[in-house]
Amino acid sequence: MLRSMSLAAALMMSASALMAEEFRWAETTDPQTMDPHAVNSAPVLGFLNNVYEGLVRRSKDMAIEPALATGWEPLAQGAGWRFTLRQGVTFHDGSAFDAQDVLFSYERASDEASDTRSWFAAVSEVKVVDDYTVDILTAGPNPIFPDSITNWMIMDAGWADANDAARPDKDNGNFATLNANGTGAFQLAAREPGLRTVLEPFAGWWDEAEHNITRAELTPIQNSATAVAALLSGDVDFINPVPIQDAVRLATSDQVQVIQGIEARVIMLGFPHEAEALKYSAETTEANPFADVRVRQAVAHAVNVPAILQTIMRGNAQEVSQLVSPAMRGYSKALADRPVYDPDMARALLAEAGYADGFSFGLKCPNDRYLNDESVCQAVTGMLAQVGIRATLDTMPVQNYWPELRADNYDMYLLGWSPGTFDAEHPVRFLASTPNEEKKLGSWNFGGFSNARVDALLPMIQSEIDDTKRQAMLDEATQILQDEVAYVPLYVQPLVWGAQANITMTQRPDNFFILRWVTVN
């Protein structure tokens, strides 16, 4: 059974008319932590959106709506935003929620130890006005700020302090790594990393439940064939993702449904811009060819993206030229064309750069993070070899992958990026700004790309309220990133979910699986 779900589409039934049920699901990637401020990655944030909540949240159609805040308004002269907090909310342990928890969560999430600190680059201060009012002050007008904090989750200050988890520790872990105390629709009942994570409904949740789940258990299954077998046998109710090669076969079954869509995530290749030399080359050991824009251009022309989409993605993805997809706000329509596949041009560019005979290097890729990620990297390896750029491919689980990138252990890498704000400013801030811990910028700019004009444009983009002027700035930034080949965007990742035929759920383009919208019929 094949069901295509658009941004706003979801199959729903009234939970009140249904018997309560247990729910089991499998994903390729286990959440790395239960700490909402330790790791800024979709598997963590998507899962924890079921347990923790922010001041605002996204609806089924991705619109911003109230959560722990009931309303918000800009302060005078663009000084920031005032949030009115929801009263009567309790954390899972019964503690009351108030403004002090918001202040604590800001200090924690923006701390140097937090992987989410870049979210608060524009914030200068958070002030508690009273128990249920907070002012978030920004360096200048920031019209998209509420959109930027949908995944900023609020923790209980008292609980964190009592359990020595006042700050996140993504490397060594702490109490919040394996335990949770949110305000969300579900509470953590069991956590065995790599094996299972169990959630149960929170009876004291402030909102009205739409689900009919009594217990939900996540089991990470890295092997795609095993996941499909578990779905077909009824051992699990839902898998994400469905392997592209199995989607058509599963869609013909009356027992399961395949739910397809387009994710907001752009898959791209990244470079070691600031490295003095390659780390994994057999012969080019004292130079970094990728520091030359002509070599990066050669890579862009050597990769046959249409072939990847046809053979590996089976026509289920769309090629892309920018760090955001056409569906995102701020996409530059005039810059929609990506580099053409032209191996001869790639060879000519390499020769012009002084690498007529090519060179060897190391390509790092995950094998359980993105749809068909290892297969895509294998294809890229073969395509680059045809023009003389010879890659030694090293693939690994995502849990090991991020530490390798942060340690600069690569010569080229694969990255996927989904903008949390659904706005083109987001990747400029995270991926294209010169890394600066003090300013909380460029936290995912592993290769250290740096352009003074892009850095100057970012604060103007963030504060501009005139849409036409703002788009012109985004267009200029996009043009620079394309001219400099800061990254090589490849395609927008497809969404392919599989579920039992009796399950109703909502598929959003951020690929977050929200349990409170699931019913077992």
Side-chain angles (χ1 to χ4, degrees):
M1 184 187 306
L2 177 63
R3 290 178 179 168
S4 179
M5 301 186 70
S6 65
L7 184 67
L11 295 175
M12 297 175 52
M13 291 186 66
S14 171
S16 61
L18 299 170
M19 295 182 62
E21 298 284 353
E22 293 193 4
F23 182 80
R24 303 149 299 168
W25 88 100
E27 302 203 23
T28 55
T29 304
D30 191 44
Q32 189 174 337
T33 178
M34 295 292 100
D35 190 326
H37 306 146
V39 177
N40 178 16
S41 72
V44 171
L45 300 177
F47 179 85
L48 289 180
N49 259 267
N50 294 299
V51 178
Y52 286 96
E53 294 175 300
L55 300 182
V56 298
R57 68 187 184 189
R58 292 198 180 275
S59 65
K60 293 177 181 179
D61 62 2
M62 299 304 295
I64 299 295
E65 65 180 21
L68 294 182
T70 57
W72 51 95
E73 59 183 358
L75 297 173
Q77 299 178 336
W81 290 82
R82 171 164 290 184
F83 289 83
T84 302
L85 306 183
R86 190 177 300 276
Q87 300 185 32
V89 175
T90 61
F91 289 93
H92 296 157
D93 67 354
S95 302
F97 159 74
D98 62 22
Q100 292 299 326
D101 298 307
V102 176
L103 175 60
F104 167 78
S105 296
Y106 162 70
E107 293 172 343
R108 191 178 193 275
S110 63
D111 188 79
E112 290 185 2
S114 174
D115 202 29
T116 61
R117 67 190 313 263
S118 288
W119 298 353
F120 306 96
V123 176
S124 58
E125 187 180 2
V126 173
K127 289 185 176 181
V128 172
V129 178
D130 57 42
D131 286 349
Y132 295 101
T133 309
V134 294
D135 286 347
I136 300 181
L137 306 183
T138 56
N142 197 313
I144 66 168
F145 181 75
D147 293 73
S148 73
I149 58 170
T150 54
N151 291 322
W152 171 35
M153 302 178 206
I154 305 303
M155 295 182 71
D156 177 9
W159 178 83
D161 286 337
N163 291 289
D164 295 324
R167 293 295 181 266
D169 189 341
K170 64 183 177 184
D171 296 322
N172 302 310
N174 57 29
F175 189 78
T177 304
L178 296 175
N179 300 275
N181 183 36
T183 60
F186 289 84
Q187 57 189 354
L188 187 65
R191 170 64 174 165
E192 299 176 49
L195 297 176
R196 68 178 188 130
T197 306
V198 179
L199 299 178
E200 294 177 349
F202 175 38
W205 189 42
W206 59 269
D207 204 358
E208 182 178 350
E210 296 182 28
H211 67 85
N212 67 333
I213 297 173
T214 57
R215 181 180 183 275
E217 181 170 332
L218 167 65
T219 302
I221 301 178
Q222 185 174 347
N223 185 282
S224 58
T226 303
V228 170
L231 180 66
L232 289 173
S233 68
D235 289 339
V236 297
D237 299 300
F238 166 66
I239 64 172
N240 180 22
V242 169
I244 289 290
Q245 62 271 20
D246 294 316
V248 174
R249 175 170 64 93
L250 290 180
T252 63
S253 171
D254 292 332
Q255 297 179 334
V256 301
Q257 56 180 312
V258 176
I259 307 167
Q260 293 184 277
I262 296 294
E263 193 177 355
R265 187 174 310 280
V266 169
I267 304 298
M268 67 193 80
L269 297 173
F271 301 102
H273 292 276
E274 62 182 357
E276 294 183 359
L278 297 179
K279 284 195 171 184
Y280 300 98
S281 179
E283 77 297 320
T284 309
T285 58
E286 297 184 359
N288 174 15
F290 295 120
D292 191 318
V293 66
R294 293 168 296 187
V295 174
R296 302 196 297 272
Q297 289 171 337
V299 171
H301 288 295
V303 178
N304 189 344
V305 174
I308 290 175
L309 301 191
Q310 184 63 34
T311 59
I312 299 176
M313 295 299 174
R314 310 292 176 95
N316 289 284
Q318 60 185 44
E319 60 182 86
V320 71
S321 64
Q322 302 168 35
L323 302 186
V324 294
S325 75
M328 300 299 102
R329 181 172 56 189
Y331 176 82
S332 298
K333 295 180 181 179
L335 301 173
D337 294 337
R338 71 176 318 281
V340 297
Y341 171 60
D342 190 334
D344 291 334
M345 183 180 295
R347 296 185 189 96
L349 286 164
L350 287 172
E352 184 180 332
Y355 297 98
D357 296 327
F359 58 89
S360 62
F361 74 101
L363 172 60
K364 290 285 177 74
C365 292
N367 56 20
D368 64 351
R369 176 62 190 93
Y370 311 117
L371 196 61
N372 290 342
D373 44 13
E374 184 171 13
S375 296
V376 169
C377 286
Q378 289 171 344
V380 168
T381 297
M383 293 169 183
L384 293 179
Q386 292 178 8
V387 301
I389 310 178
R390 303 175 298 279
T392 298
L393 177 60
D394 184 12
T395 66
M396 63 196 70
V398 71
Q399 188 169 355
N400 302 327
Y401 186 62
W402 300 135
E404 285 289 280
L405 295 194
R406 295 201 179 279
D408 296 330
N409 292 329
Y410 62 86
D411 293 328
M412 185 192 292
Y413 60 92
L414 187 77
L415 180 68
W417 194 258
S418 177
T421 58
F422 276 53
D423 189 284
E425 175 272 342
H426 195 268
V428 175
R429 174 163 34 115
F430 282 91
L431 303 183
S433 293
T434 302
N436 187 314
E437 289 191 8
E438 182 180 352
K439 293 183 178 180
K440 305 170 186 174
L441 297 174
S443 59
W444 284 70
N445 182 1
F446 298 116
F449 173 79
S450 181
N451 181 280
R453 181 56 181 166
V454 171
D455 291 343
L457 282 167
L458 178 61
M460 294 190 287
I461 291 168
Q462 292 173 327
S463 61
E464 182 56 63
I465 60 176
D466 184 287
D467 287 342
T468 301
K469 292 179 180 179
R470 186 175 189 271
Q471 185 61 55
M473 296 173 189
L474 285 167
D475 291 345
E476 182 182 352
T478 300
Q479 184 71 71
I480 293 170
L481 297 179
Q482 289 186 342
D483 291 345
E484 293 292 322
V485 197
Y487 296 87
V488 176
L490 301 174
Y491 56 89
V492 184
Q493 178 165 280
L495 286 173
V496 190
W497 291 4
Q500 299 296 332
N502 65 326
I503 304 295
T504 63
M505 59 182 59
T506 296
Q507 183 186 74
R508 299 194 318 196
D510 59 1
N511 200 22
F512 281 15
F513 176 55
I514 307 299
L515 271 170
R516 58 188 169 90
W517 295 327
V518 173
T519 54
V520 182
N521 305 315

